[in-house]
Amino acid sequence: MANSNETRVTEFILLGLSGNPDIQIVYFVLFLVMYLLTMTGNFLIVVTIYVDPQLHSPMYFFLSNLSFLDLSFSTVTVPGTLANFLSQSKTISFRDCVTQFFFVHFIGGAECFHLTLMAYDRYVAICRPLHYTTIMNRRVCLLLVVSTWAGGFIHACAQSFPIAQLSFCGPNVLDHFFCDSHTLSLLACSDTFTSEVADIANSGTLALICFLGVFISYTYIISTILKIRSSEGRRKAFSTCASHFLVVILFFGPCVFLYMRPSVVFAADKQVSVFYTIVTPLLNPCIYTLRSEEVKKAMKRLGESEKVLVFWPIFGRHY
């Protein structure tokens, strides 16, 4: 435990991805372009689904919420990282650090639950198609989405509270580009056993719930698809699930690698963090729009009717 005469840390220094100024400029340009594309792509999906009546179905309602989660997730980490690349001090206050940590796990946890919810939606659509509109009615869809946000909030509180109770008396250098549990725990001068156990238990519970939800849903889905006699029917059924399953792998894989272990820092941690906080939110709109004829057609209709969308010429060429 920290002694009373020890100076408590009031701010941290984020080392970022590189100490080389030239490389930092390259990273700044690269991350800025990726962030703008992420915001544009996900925003276009949200607007397209909201505006086009043909996309007012549970599947696309969940997709629009996923896009909103993706652009929110990137916004929690990327703007601060971009400012860090251009700043000389590269500091973040203890309060801002804990706040950023909270929102990373709030939105990240909500996205984990939401991807599980989307797996359940595909289960109902494929395994119980005649009852789909009855089961996934508007009220149920809203309650399910609210529950994913509530689950993310509970997860973030359980993650953040133990970290906020730790004492930091120096050093204050975080070898990362945003505040995360492992790097913070390594700098604590108080006992981290409780926070580490809470971290693993909380992340483990989240991972177990989501894994079981996705696994059970896809077990039934695959079993039902294999019973379809026509090859064309099987192909269409698999196609509706392929995009979601790919997104699940891209998001859950890095999260399991980063959080399902004690506070040990590996050399690849920052690269893996870049992938799931920046690259995955950028890829999700491409994965869904490129595999969905309905979304591509809706975006084309939106581009023809709403010329004020200045980003449409950029994305419209690909559709």
Side-chain angles (χ1 to χ4, degrees):
M1 298 294 292
N3 297 324
S4 59
N5 60 347
E6 289 181 318
T7 303
R8 290 181 62 87
V9 169
T10 58
E11 63 181 19
F12 295 101
I13 299 173
L14 291 169
L15 292 184
L17 296 172
S18 174
N20 188 317
D22 295 331
I23 296 179
Q24 287 182 13
I25 295 298
V26 174
Y27 279 144
F28 174 83
V29 174
L30 178 63
F31 281 25
L32 178 60
V33 171
M34 293 173 69
Y35 179 63
L36 292 176
L37 290 175
T38 298
M39 296 295 290
T40 304
N42 284 290
F43 180 75
L44 272 176
I45 289 180
V46 172
V47 171
T48 301
I49 293 173
Y50 179 80
V51 170
D52 198 308
Q54 296 184 32
L55 299 182
H56 290 178
S57 66
M59 181 178 72
Y60 293 111
F61 172 66
F62 295 143
L63 175 57
S64 65
N65 191 63
L66 176 65
S67 293
F68 180 75
L69 284 167
D70 279 334
L71 62 89
S72 300
F73 196 42
S74 288
T75 302
V76 173
T77 57
V78 178
T81 303
L82 293 174
N84 188 293
F85 285 139
L86 301 180
S87 174
Q88 294 295 325
S89 62
K90 304 184 186 303
T91 59
I92 182 171
S93 69
F94 177 78
R95 179 177 296 179
D96 290 345
C97 188
V98 174
T99 301
Q100 183 186 55
F101 177 81
F102 173 84
F103 279 101
V104 165
H105 287 275
F106 175 29
I107 300 174
E111 183 154 347
C112 288
F113 286 121
H114 192 75
L115 289 171
T116 306
L117 167 60
M118 293 178 74
Y120 173 72
D121 173 68
R122 292 299 83 207
Y123 155 75
V124 177
I126 293 174
C127 300
R128 305 187 64 183
L130 298 179
H131 301 89
Y132 180 70
T133 55
T134 303
I135 296 174
M136 304 300 289
N137 58 63
R138 183 179 180 85
R139 180 175 178 274
V140 169
C141 290
L142 287 173
L143 287 174
L144 289 173
V145 168
V146 170
S147 69
T148 63
W149 284 90
F153 180 78
I154 294 171
H155 167 71
C157 290
Q159 289 285 99
S160 303
F161 183 76
I163 290 292
Q165 302 307 305
L166 295 177
S167 298
F168 297 90
C169 49
N172 67 335
V173 179
L174 291 172
D175 188 14
H176 215 305
F177 62 95
F178 68 92
C179 294
D180 209 358
S181 55
H182 293 330
T183 49
L184 284 170
S185 295
L186 291 175
L187 295 183
C189 54
S190 57
D191 184 16
T192 61
F193 177 78
T194 302
S195 65
E196 289 185 24
V197 171
D199 187 8
I200 296 174
N202 186 31
S203 298
T205 301
L206 174 65
L208 179 62
I209 292 173
C210 294
F211 172 77
L212 288 176
V214 172
F215 178 78
I216 293 172
S217 296
Y218 273 99
T219 299
Y220 281 104
I221 288 171
I222 293 173
S223 176
T224 301
I225 291 175
L226 293 177
K227 294 177 183 177
I228 299 175
R229 294 184 178 181
S230 70
S231 58
E232 180 66 17
R234 288 195 299 270
R235 187 192 67 80
K236 288 183 178 179
F238 273 120
S239 179
T240 61
C241 300
S243 299
H244 173 260
F245 193 69
L246 179 58
V247 170
V248 167
I249 294 174
L250 291 175
F251 189 81
F252 278 89
C255 290
V256 170
F257 172 79
L258 290 170
Y259 299 112
M260 293 298 295
R261 68 171 199 252
S263 295
V264 178
V265 176
F266 295 131
D269 282 359
K270 287 193 282 188
Q271 288 74 20
V272 174
S273 296
V274 167
F275 187 84
Y276 94 95
T277 59
I278 301 175
V279 178
T280 299
L282 171 63
L283 293 178
N284 285 355
C286 301
I287 293 171
Y288 276 106
T289 54
L290 290 177
R291 296 187 62 88
S292 175
E293 290 297 327
E294 291 82 359
V295 175
K296 288 190 285 186
K297 291 177 181 178
M299 283 189 171
K300 186 176 181 180
R301 289 193 295 270
L302 181 66
E304 292 171 350
S305 60
E306 300 291 336
K307 298 301 183 181
V308 294
L309 294 177
V310 296
F311 290 108
W312 171 253
I314 300 174
F315 284 82
R317 300 191 192 102
H318 302 292
Y319 302 122

